[in-house]
């Protein structure tokens, strides 16, 4: 069984796959800026519905490059993302699930997304290299699974 929880700037998405990669649960919901509350609700649903021992990971929001914000993104700040990530880490501890701090792989010394990982569109979306770094972080910071194609080195 595999679970994906994606907490984005406006939504929380959850997908649960069985051992044959069939979708057995999915939801896509707007969090209306209530990230902590919506994530807690999702964790409660998952821990109630899934068998004991299923690994659940909550991933931090990645950083942004603030000077690249579009007019409709001005409310997005790395400080706000750090506050949300702190809340997500507390929730993960409360619910006994794993927390992945993706920021540690993507930030520069100023706490911004590294410029080489930033895509061309806005302050949020990454370049192919940024997504590779993100993927590698997940593959090397989660429990081993035979489906994991990562090869050390």
């Amino acid at each position: 069984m595999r679970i994906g929880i994606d907490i984005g700037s406006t939504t929380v998405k959850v997908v649960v796959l069985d051992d044959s990669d069939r979708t057995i649960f999915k939801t896509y919901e707007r969090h209306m800026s209530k990230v902590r509350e919506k994530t807690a609700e999702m964790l409660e649903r998952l821990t109630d519905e899934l068998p004991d021992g299923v690994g659940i990971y909550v991933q931090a929001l990645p950083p942004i490059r603030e000077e690249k914000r579009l007019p409709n993104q001005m409310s997005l700040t790395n400080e706000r993302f750090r506050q949300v990530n702190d809340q997500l880490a507390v929730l993960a501890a409360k619910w006994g699930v794993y927390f992945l701090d993706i920021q540690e792989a993507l930030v520069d010394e100023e706490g911004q997304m590294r410029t080489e990982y930033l895509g061309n569109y806005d302050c949020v979306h990454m370049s192919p290299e940024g997504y590779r770094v993100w993927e590698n972080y997940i593959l090397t910071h989660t429990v081993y699974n035979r489906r994991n194609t990562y090869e050390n080195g």
Side-chain angles (χ1 to χ4, degrees):
M1 186 173 301
R2 296 184 295 161
I3 300 168
I5 302 174
D6 178 19
I7 303 158
S9 59
T10 61
T11 59
V12 175
K13 288 128 344 233
V14 178
V15 175
V16 180
L17 304 176
D18 67 12
D19 290 335
S20 299
D21 289 337
R22 289 184 301 248
T23 302
I24 59 173
F25 176 85
K26 68 180 178 178
T27 185
Y28 182 95
E29 299 180 25
R30 296 186 70 74
H31 55 61
M32 308 303 283
S33 298
K34 296 181 188 263
V35 175
R36 188 181 67 76
E37 294 87 347
K38 184 56 79 172
T39 303
E41 177 186 319
M42 292 295 152
L43 289 173
E44 182 173 12
R45 286 171 62 186
L46 287 170
T47 55
D48 284 348
E49 294 181 26
L50 297 174
D52 290 341
V54 173
I56 298 173
Y57 293 83
V58 174
Q59 179 177 268
L61 298 174
I64 62 170
R65 194 83 200 169
E66 291 182 3
E67 72 268 16
K68 297 291 186 177
R69 291 179 291 187
L70 299 175
N72 67 336
Q73 296 175 321
M74 297 311 286
S75 65
L76 302 179
T77 67
N78 282 308
E79 179 56 33
R80 176 71 182 127
F81 281 21
R82 281 188 287 277
Q83 292 170 359
V84 169
N85 288 340
D86 288 346
Q87 293 173 356
L88 293 175
V90 168
L91 276 176
K94 175 183 176 184
W95 287 97
V97 301
Y98 301 101
F99 179 71
L100 294 175
D101 186 5
I102 188 65
Q103 289 230 355
E104 66 185 18
L106 298 171
V107 298
D108 64 15
E109 60 282 345
E110 297 171 0
Q112 302 274 330
M113 183 184 296
R114 293 179 170 279
T115 55
E116 62 268 28
Y117 299 156
L118 187 65
N120 296 324
Y121 176 67
D122 60 10
C123 69
V124 176
H125 297 93
M126 289 183 264
S127 66
E129 177 62 18
Y131 285 113
R132 278 191 291 277
V133 169
W134 189 348
E135 176 187 37
N136 188 62
Y137 184 89
I138 292 170
L139 292 173
T140 59
H141 288 79
T142 55
V143 176
Y144 174 77
N145 182 302
R146 64 182 167 78
R147 290 188 181 99
N148 182 338
T149 59
Y150 178 77
E151 293 181 22
N152 193 12

